[in-house]
Amino acid sequence: MDGLSRRKMLMAGGALGAFTALGVAPANARSLWTWAPGSSVAGSGAGIDPQWVWDEEADPVVAAVLERGEVAAVNARLATWTRNDQPVPTGLPAELRDFMEHARQLPPWADRAKLEAAATFNKGRGFYLNLLNGVGGGMLSTAIPREARSVYHSKGGADMEDRVAKTSLLGFAIGALDAYRPDGDVIVQAVKTRMVHAAVRHLLPQSPAWPRISDGQKTPISQADIMVTWHSLATYAMQKMLEWKINVTPAESAAYLHVWQVSVHMLGVHDEYIPATWDAAEAQSKQVLDPVLASTREGVELTDILLGQLAEQTSPGGIDRPLVDALARYLVGDRVADLDAIPEERFWLKTIKLVWPPLVAFREGLLPLPLVPPLAWTIDEAIRQYILWFLTKGRGATISLPDTNRPGTG
């Protein structure tokens, strides 16, 4: 990849590239990064705070596409790229094709056997993982101020059904049985998502809302921000599965971690920020995710939209929003639910707390059917309907570069 050497990319990126390479934080930097790079998959690193590291490879290339007005033409070509084994589409700007060729390569530490084991685990635990990554991760994301504001004020925030569909594509791909096989698409979706992040980094600081929502950042979606999102999905899901006493073997746990390690590398995160073990992930999550959770106007509004959409699709017997609100509160707990302004539906919350443990025990083969309360199947059906809605949302959707911010935001 001679045309995309680190030196040339930094020169092309100008001030942003220098900022990224040197890790120089502004005077109003709000965090002190202490997580040790020795706990990462790289095993070492400079220890630079990832809050001040972005994507020195993707950012200048995608910015140039936007500045030249090539987004529509590029999106038309990207739409034809759908499988891991497909060549990068022809007709793209040369520097973009070079970047994509480089970005699609798996890291040398990727373990094919573990990726296959993760695919099998994802298939067997899809009921739980879709619930946790979809509803649980969604509610966590709206309680992460930077993520909620970036989503709300970018182009996708104006059409949340489309936004959910496109966001889901990467999640579907990671959890698919053929995820990293030639006929899978996780590599394609990850590279496209990486480019969307770069586009948002270029566009969002131009929004009239940016001075109000920037939270001290010069540029949104830092590597720290991506890892915060990673923990709201991978680390959170593993925590909840263990809390629910779901049988996860050490090999399955390691495989599930590995597919998320590889996937976040494919999003452009430096290896020194990717936890090597679940213990390391827990430690990093406590430092980067737990302290940043807060309520925002944007997060509350997005929560209401998301739960409203979910209630429309998952209403068994006419039971709609109260059950959905209670399920969301149960999944993320009172602290996050309060930050998201999720109503406290006491009857349904009490019911879920009562029936969920035996329902899980039945699914795990630990409890016979007669001991599962009848009302548990109302909850079960609501979740099934949610999963069906969640899994079909991405049909016909394709990840594409935005060319503007949310209309009328300020």
Side-chain angles (χ1 to χ4, degrees):
M1 188 180 169
D2 295 338
L4 277 177
S5 69
R6 182 174 177 83
R7 176 179 175 82
K8 290 182 180 179
M9 291 302 300
L10 292 178
M11 291 174 65
L16 175 60
F19 225 63
T20 302
L22 299 176
V24 180
N28 64 345
R30 70 171 188 172
S31 71
L32 294 175
W33 175 252
T34 61
W35 191 79
S39 298
S40 70
V41 294
S44 62
I48 297 169
D49 187 342
Q51 182 178 179
W52 310 109
V53 181
W54 291 273
D55 193 332
E56 69 271 21
E57 293 183 344
D59 290 350
V61 173
V62 174
V65 169
L66 286 159
E67 290 296 320
R68 292 193 301 261
E70 298 171 340
V71 171
V74 166
N75 282 337
R77 303 309 303 155
L78 291 179
T80 68
W81 193 42
T82 59
R83 288 172 47 124
N84 293 335
D85 59 357
Q86 274 184 280
V88 171
T90 59
L92 294 170
E95 68 273 21
L96 183 62
R97 289 194 81 254
D98 288 346
F99 162 75
M100 292 170 64
E101 286 289 1
H102 171 70
R104 71 184 300 185
Q105 305 303 316
L106 294 183
W109 44 266
D111 185 322
R112 286 286 182 182
K114 283 186 177 180
L115 292 176
E116 285 294 317
T120 302
F121 175 71
N122 281 323
K123 180 181 179 182
R125 291 292 184 254
F127 179 82
Y128 304 115
L129 293 173
N130 288 324
L131 175 65
L132 290 168
N133 289 331
V135 182
M139 295 304 97
L140 281 169
S141 73
T142 53
I144 299 168
R146 287 181 177 175
E147 183 167 354
R149 287 167 171 157
S150 291
V151 168
Y152 185 92
H153 293 282
S154 60
K155 184 177 182 179
D159 184 350
M160 285 305 293
E161 285 214 17
D162 183 67
R163 179 66 163 78
V164 169
K166 290 179 178 178
T167 302
S168 299
L169 288 174
L170 179 59
F172 298 162
I174 292 172
L177 192 58
D178 59 0
Y180 279 96
R181 295 176 186 170
D183 57 335
D185 67 341
V186 70
I187 294 173
V188 170
Q189 306 300 357
V191 173
K192 288 182 180 181
T193 299
R194 184 176 175 184
M195 292 191 293
V196 169
H197 287 168
V200 172
R201 290 189 197 100
H202 182 73
L203 291 168
L204 196 55
Q206 301 173 35
S207 167
W210 182 246
R212 175 175 62 81
I213 68 171
S214 63
D215 190 30
Q217 287 189 307
K218 175 183 177 181
T219 306
I221 316 181
S222 68
Q223 301 232 326
D225 295 329
I226 296 174
M227 289 310 302
V228 167
T229 300
W230 189 88
H231 289 297
S232 74
L233 297 168
T235 308
Y236 161 75
M238 182 55 68
Q239 288 171 339
K240 297 302 287 188
M241 285 191 289
L242 294 178
E243 177 186 319
W244 292 344
K245 297 180 173 57
I246 294 169
N247 182 31
V248 181
T249 68
E252 290 172 332
S253 176
Y256 184 65
L257 174 62
H258 190 66
V259 74
W260 280 97
Q261 290 169 329
V262 174
S263 298
V264 80
H265 170 96
M266 300 303 290
L267 290 175
V269 171
H270 297 182
D271 288 353
E272 71 169 279
Y273 301 130
I274 304 174
T277 65
W278 281 120
D279 286 344
E282 290 273 1
Q284 189 184 97
S285 181
K286 285 183 173 64
Q287 183 174 123
V288 301
L289 172 60
D290 295 0
V292 304
L293 296 172
S295 183
T296 61
R297 175 183 66 82
E298 294 87 351
V300 168
E301 185 173 333
L302 291 175
T303 298
D304 185 61
I305 292 171
L306 292 170
L307 292 179
Q309 290 177 352
L310 181 55
E312 290 176 7
Q313 303 295 327
T314 60
S315 303
I319 300 166
D320 45 20
R321 184 61 184 265
L323 173 54
V324 168
D325 288 344
L327 177 61
R329 181 173 283 270
Y330 179 73
L331 289 173
V332 297
D334 288 336
R335 178 194 173 196
V336 172
D338 288 344
L339 294 174
D340 284 336
I342 300 173
E344 186 176 355
E345 302 292 347
R346 294 187 179 183
F347 169 78
W348 281 113
L349 184 59
K350 182 178 179 180
T351 300
I352 292 171
K353 289 180 177 179
L354 175 68
V355 306
W356 184 250
L359 185 58
V360 171
F362 168 72
R363 287 185 170 279
E364 294 299 299
L366 303 175
L367 194 70
L369 180 59
L371 296 182
V372 180
L375 197 54
W377 302 108
T378 299
I379 310 299
D380 187 75
E381 179 59 20
I383 294 171
R384 285 180 179 276
Q385 290 299 320
Y386 155 71
I387 290 173
L388 178 63
W389 172 77
F390 180 67
L391 291 177
T392 57
K393 253 347 231 181
R395 289 183 180 173
T398 182
I399 296 174
S400 55
L401 300 182
D403 56 0
T404 186
N405 292 310
R406 181 188 181 110
T409 191

